[in-house]
Amino acid sequence: GDVYKRQTVYTRHKQLKRSVILMSLKVDNIVKTYGSYRAVDGLSFEMTEPGVFALLGTNGAGKTTSIRIILGMLSADSGSVTWHGKRFCTANESIGYLAEERGLYPKYKIMDQLLYFTSLKGMKKPQAVKALDYWFERLGVQEYRNMRAEQLSKGNQQKIQLIAALAPDPELLILDEPLSGLDPVNAELFKSVIREEIKKNKYVIMSSHQMSTIEEFCRGIVILNKGKTVLQGDLNEIKKGYGRVKLTVKCEGDITALAQECGLTAVEETPNGSSYNVQSEEQAHALLGKIMSRGIPLIKYELREPSLNEIFIEKVGESDEK
C-alpha cells in the first residue's frame, strides 16, 4: 500500500545518493589484546563495492571482537577502520547492527523501543513510524508492536532486532549470526530480506556458523582462528584453486575394491553415497569407467569443488596443528 510505496521512494532516493559517491570500508591491521592474549591479531580486509563480506571463525576466534572494533564499541590497540577514506565514526554514519545476543529491554513495549532506537539514528517520528509499519508487515510481527519484549519468543525478538537494524535504511549493515535460533521458515524469511538489501546496493558484513548461508550470499571471506587470519579472499577463486577434488558415488552394489584399484579409499559413508578425496579428475573418471564397464547400476556420481564448510574445517585444523 501507501506505506510500501513511500518506503520504496525513500530507499530509491538513498540508492541514488549512494550511486553518486562510491563508498568503501577498509579495515587495516587491527590488533586487540587482553593482557597477554591477542583476541584479534592483524585483521585486514576491504570492501570496495556493495555486497556481502563474511567474517568466519570458531567460537572465540575474534569475530565479535572485530565487529565491535569496527563499530567503535571497542578501541583497537593498533590499526584503523575507514569508511569512504575517512576515519570510521559510527555516530556519523548510516549503520545497522544485528547483534548475536538479544538486546531488547524486556519490560518495555516493542514500538516504544523501536521509536527510541530510530531516534538515536536521527529519524523523526513520522518517518520512523512509516518505516516501522513497513517492516512490521514485511516480517509478520504487527501483533507484537504493543507487547513487551519479554512476552515474545526468541525468534520474534530476533525479528524485532532486525527491524531496529533495517528501519533507518543503513548503507552498511552488520549481521552477527543473523539466523541463530530461527526455525527453517523464519530463516528463509531472513534470507529473503538480506537478498533484498543486497539488491539495494548495501554493504553487508555477515558472521555466521552456517557455512551454507555464507556460500549463498558472500563473495569475500576471512577465516579467523585464535585471532589470526588463516584464509582470506574471493570465495569463488578460493574454490577454483582447490579444483574438483571431492567425489561422491552411489551405486547399487559394493565398489570398495574398484575404488581401491584407482587408489581411492572412502573418507565417509552415508546413505547419500561414498565420498572420496581425489588427486585429479582423471582418477575420478577412472573409477567411473570401472563402474560402467562392470555394469554396476550408478545412482549418483558427483565431482565438485570443496564446500566452504570443508575448507573451513581444513584451514582451522591446519592452524590448530601449528
Side-chain angles (χ1 to χ4, degrees):
D2 290 340
V3 171
Y4 178 80
K5 289 177 182 177
R6 286 193 289 269
Q7 177 71 11
T8 302
V9 169
Y10 175 66
T11 299
R12 285 177 179 169
H13 173 68
K14 294 200 75 173
Q15 281 181 274
L16 285 172
K17 287 176 66 180
R18 281 193 287 269
S19 67
V20 173
I21 304 173
L22 181 61
M23 299 293 182
S24 66
L25 175 71
K26 185 175 183 180
V27 175
D28 186 20
N29 200 31
I30 59 173
V31 173
K32 181 65 177 178
T33 59
Y34 295 97
S36 60
Y37 174 67
R38 283 207 166 195
V40 182
D41 192 359
L43 173 64
S44 296
F45 67 86
E46 188 170 7
M47 295 181 70
T48 57
E49 58 184 25
V52 184
F53 185 90
L55 195 57
L56 308 173
T58 57
N59 293 328
K63 306 184 300 298
T64 299
T65 300
S66 298
I67 287 172
R68 288 173 176 169
I69 290 171
I70 292 168
L71 287 167
M73 297 165 66
L74 289 174
S75 59
D77 299 337
S78 59
S80 63
V81 180
T82 56
W83 174 245
H84 191 41
K86 299 177 181 178
R87 182 177 174 275
F88 192 49
C89 179
T90 308
N92 299 332
E93 306 297 350
S94 178
I95 303 164
Y97 174 43
L98 176 64
E100 180 180 4
E101 303 88 0
R102 303 298 187 273
L104 299 174
Y105 297 103
K107 300 294 183 182
Y108 289 84
K109 289 183 179 180
I110 294 300
M111 190 63 174
D112 292 343
Q113 294 193 55
L114 290 175
L115 287 172
Y116 172 67
F117 294 147
T118 52
S119 72
L120 295 177
K121 293 294 184 180
M123 296 181 76
K124 302 296 184 183
K125 186 173 180 179
Q127 176 195 21
V129 169
K130 290 174 186 177
L132 293 172
D133 283 344
Y134 168 78
W135 285 112
F136 276 127
E137 182 178 348
R138 177 69 179 84
L139 292 175
V141 289
Q142 303 96 318
E143 67 268 36
Y144 303 128
R145 58 194 301 151
N146 291 315
M147 293 176 65
R148 298 189 306 276
E150 65 183 0
Q151 296 175 287
L152 274 60
S153 67
K154 290 182 179 180
N156 284 321
Q157 288 185 40
Q158 187 84 329
K159 288 183 181 181
I160 299 304
Q161 292 195 161
L162 183 61
I163 291 174
L166 293 174
D169 192 25
E171 293 169 341
L172 173 63
L173 188 59
I174 299 180
L175 306 174
D176 193 359
E177 295 291 347
L179 307 185
S180 175
L182 296 179
D183 61 61
V185 172
N186 282 314
E188 188 55 43
L189 176 61
F190 267 49
K191 288 196 281 187
S192 70
V193 169
I194 295 169
R195 291 187 197 102
E196 290 172 9
E197 294 301 299
I198 293 169
K199 288 180 181 178
K200 295 176 188 175
N201 289 328
K202 301 295 181 72
Y203 289 74
V204 183
I205 297 176
M206 186 186 298
S207 175
S208 177
H209 287 113
Q210 298 174 336
M211 298 299 162
S212 60
T213 300
I214 295 298
E215 284 186 292
E216 194 173 338
F217 290 109
C218 298
R219 281 184 272 178
I221 66 168
V222 163
I223 296 178
L224 297 175
N225 191 35
K226 298 177 182 176
K228 294 181 179 292
T229 299
V230 296
L231 183 67
Q232 180 172 9
D234 180 277
L235 181 55
N236 286 330
E237 294 302 317
I238 290 170
K239 285 187 168 187
K240 286 178 184 177
Y242 279 84
R244 298 200 299 167
V245 294
K246 299 292 181 178
L247 175 65
T248 302
V249 181
K250 184 176 182 180
C251 295
E252 290 185 1
D254 186 8
I255 60 168
T256 302
L258 297 182
Q260 289 175 347
E261 289 175 15
C262 299
L264 295 172
T265 302
V267 294
E268 186 177 28
E269 298 276 3
T270 71
N272 197 40
S274 303
S275 297
Y276 306 90
N277 294 329
V278 300
Q279 299 300 314
S280 66
E281 293 191 17
E282 289 74 19
Q283 189 180 27
H285 296 328
L287 176 58
L288 177 61
K290 288 181 181 291
I291 292 169
M292 301 305 289
S293 67
R294 304 292 169 85
I296 300 173
L298 181 64
I299 299 170
K300 179 179 182 179
Y301 177 88
E302 181 187 27
L303 183 60
R304 60 174 176 80
E305 296 168 342
S307 66
L308 176 57
N309 191 65
E310 290 164 334
I311 293 171
F312 179 88
I313 291 171
E314 174 194 312
K315 288 298 178 182
V316 171
E318 285 179 354
S319 177
D320 282 338
E321 289 170 4
K322 292 177 181 178

